[in-house]
């Protein structure tokens, strides 16, 4: 068994998959872009990237049989992180363009940002405030850090305990969410310099720790 986790970037035809793969490889894990179900089932962790509209993203996931696979892997407590649109797809539903159902891994909805007159889409660096501790934010500044955002809609978890961090652009909204081993970030860690890379390194560590725990449990029978 490799001493590096294997992380699969889910290829459903949307998002900057290659830049996510390169960023992951830079911080240590083996990373592959794939839509092959066997590879996705064998990976130690999954990344759901994404740029674009929620209904189209879900349509692609469903057509490729990937939505069901991601839900099944989450049920197995496989670490999963959604990035940008990928984070939004983790929630139950969205109002973007038309009502659409999401993966339902984190209770809540996706609605348009109330920007208070600021330009939409929200593009650029925004200070992220950490609301509660999480293994995803280990070794990052305790009060928060800037990350690069590109979006017009935001996830609204039903349970505030699922909100790890927030940011403000006209209004304050969730920008890091988590429930169990399912994580989501509204920003692009692969474009967010050293803090973004540190977050991806943390995710790789979560994958490695989960693999070690699974192996120990199997050995105990």
């Amino acid at each position: 068994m490799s001493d590096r986790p294997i992380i699969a970037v889910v290829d459903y035809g949307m998002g900057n998959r290659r830049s996510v793969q390169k960023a992951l490889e830079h911080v240590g894990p083996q990373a592959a872009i794939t839509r092959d179900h066997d590879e996705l089932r064998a990976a130690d962790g999954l990344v759901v990237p994404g740029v674009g509209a929620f209904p189209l993203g879900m349509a692609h996931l469903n057509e490729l049989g990937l939505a069901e696979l991601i839900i099944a892997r989450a049920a197995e407590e496989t670490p999963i992180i959604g990035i940008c649109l990928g984070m939004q797809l983790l929630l139950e539903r969205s109002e973007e363009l038309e009502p659409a159902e999401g993966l339902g891994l984190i209770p809540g909805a996706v609605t348009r940002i109330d920007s208070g007159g600021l330009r939409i889409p929200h593009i650029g660096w925004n200070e992220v405030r950490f609301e509660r501790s999480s293994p995803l934010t280990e070794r990052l500044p305790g009060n928060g850090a800037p990350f690069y955002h590109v979006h017009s809609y935001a996830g609204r978890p039903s349970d505030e305990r699922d909100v790890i961090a927030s940011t403000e652009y006209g209004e304050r909204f969730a920008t890091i969410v988590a429930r169990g081993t399912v994580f989501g970030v509204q920003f692009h860690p692969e474009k967010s310099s050293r803090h973004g890379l540190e977050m991806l390194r943390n995710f790789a560590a979560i994958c490695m720790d989960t693999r070690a725990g699974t192996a120990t449990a199997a050995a105990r029978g």
Side-chain angles (χ1 to χ4, degrees), residues 9-14 17 33-38 40-41 48-49 55-70 89 103:
V9 180
V10 180
D11 180 8
Y12 63 106
M14 298 178 70
R17 292 147 289 175
I33 302 169
T34 183
R35 61 182 59 177
D36 181 88
H37 286 210
D38 289 337
L40 292 167
R41 290 191 188 98
V48 184
L56 184 59
M58 280 306 304
H60 285 194
L61 288 176
N62 285 318
E63 287 167 6
L64 295 167
L66 296 173
E68 184 178 358
L69 187 150
I70 293 168
L89 296 174
L103 295 169

Side-chain angles (χ1 to χ4, degrees), residues 18-94:
R18 178 60 180 152
S19 61
V20 173
Q21 180 194 30
K22 289 173 66 177
L24 284 167
E25 291 175 339
H26 181 75
V27 299
Q30 302 176 62
I33 302 169
T34 183
R35 61 182 59 177
D36 181 88
H37 286 210
D38 289 337
E39 291 183 4
L40 292 167
R41 290 191 188 98
D44 297 310
L46 302 182
V47 177
V48 184
V51 174
F54 189 106
L56 184 59
M58 280 306 304
H60 285 194
L61 288 176
N62 285 318
E63 287 167 6
L64 295 167
L66 296 173
E68 184 178 358
L69 187 150
I70 293 168
I71 293 169
R73 296 239 57 198
E76 298 167 355
E77 300 186 345
T78 301
I80 296 170
I81 186 168
I83 294 175
C84 195
L85 173 61
M87 168 190 154
Q88 297 176 8
L89 296 174
L90 300 176
L91 277 74
E92 294 174 299
R93 59 193 178 278
S94 172

Side-chain angles (χ1 to χ4, degrees), residues 207-218:
C207 294
M208 199 66 182
D209 289 347
T210 302
R211 184 174 80 177
T214 301
T216 300

Side-chain angles (χ1 to χ4, degrees), residues 24 27 81 128 130 135-140 145 147 164-165 175-176 184-185 187-189 193-206:
L24 284 167
V27 299
I81 186 168
V128 169
F130 299 148
L136 197 63
T137 58
E138 288 288 326
R139 295 177 298 279
L140 288 169
F147 291 91
I164 302 301
T175 195
I176 304 178
V185 295
F187 48 83
H188 288 272
S193 191
R194 62 187 181 91
H195 294 312
L197 291 175
E198 189 65 35
M199 185 164 287
L200 292 177
R201 186 176 288 110
N202 287 338
F203 180 69
I206 293 167

